[in-house]
Amino acid sequence: MRKIKGVAVLTFTAFAALALFVLLAALPDRLAFKGGESYTFYVGDTSKNCKVVTCTAAEAGITRLALNGVCGESSLFNSLDVDEFLKSVNGEIVFTETMDDSANYYCKADLPYSVELYGTSINLHICVKQEGVTVASPIIFGGY
C-alpha cells in the first residue's frame, strides 16, 4: 500500500512539473507583441471603462494569464523598425495622424483585437515618438 501511494505521489508530481513547464513555455505566445520593454493590458469592454495594467516584459506572460476580460494590449519599444514590424504582423497602414511630438499609424494586421474608426476596422496602432515606439492592438487607450 505504501509503495502504491509513493508511486501515485511521484506520478502526480511528474505531471504537475510537466504541466508547469508547458505553461511557462506557452506564456510568451499569448502576447500580441514580442520584444517590448514593458507591456500594458486593457481590461474591460470599452475604452471608457478600461482598466490599465502595466508590467515589465519579464512579468507580461504571467500577468496576461491572470487577467480576465482583456480587450487589448500594448507594448513599449525603445526603438522599432516600423516597416519590419508591419511585415511581421502582416500589417498595412490604413491612415496616419501626425502631431507635433508623434506620428500615429492606424493599421490592419493579423492581431486579435479590433475597433471601428472612421468606418474602418482597425486592430493595430503604432505611435512613434522621439523617446520610443508604442504598438497596441486594437489602439492605444488613454494617453500616449
Side-chain angles (χ1 to χ4, degrees), residues 10-107:
L10 184 60
T11 302
F12 174 78
T13 303
F15 278 120
L18 179 62
L20 180 62
F21 176 76
V22 169
L23 182 64
L24 290 174
L27 286 176
D29 291 336
R30 291 204 56 194
L31 301 175
F33 310 109
K34 292 177 178 37
E37 304 299 318
S38 65
Y39 288 80
T40 299
F41 300 97
Y42 307 113
V43 181
D45 57 8
T46 66
S47 62
K48 282 184 187 177
N49 73 353
C50 202
K51 176 183 169 190
V52 176
V53 178
T54 301
C55 62
T56 65
E59 300 166 328
I62 197 76
T63 300
R64 171 65 180 92
L65 186 64
L67 296 172
N68 290 323
V70 174
C71 63
E73 57 188 274
S74 69
S75 187
L76 177 63
F77 295 82
N78 288 330
S79 66
L80 184 72
D81 182 326
V82 173
D83 291 328
E84 285 300 313
F85 177 77
L86 283 170
K87 286 179 190 174
S88 76
V89 295
N90 195 27
E92 68 176 86
I93 297 172
V94 176
F95 63 92
T96 304
E97 289 180 341
T98 304
M99 301 176 159
D100 290 339
D101 66 341
S102 64
N104 289 275
Y105 305 99
Y106 296 87
C107 314

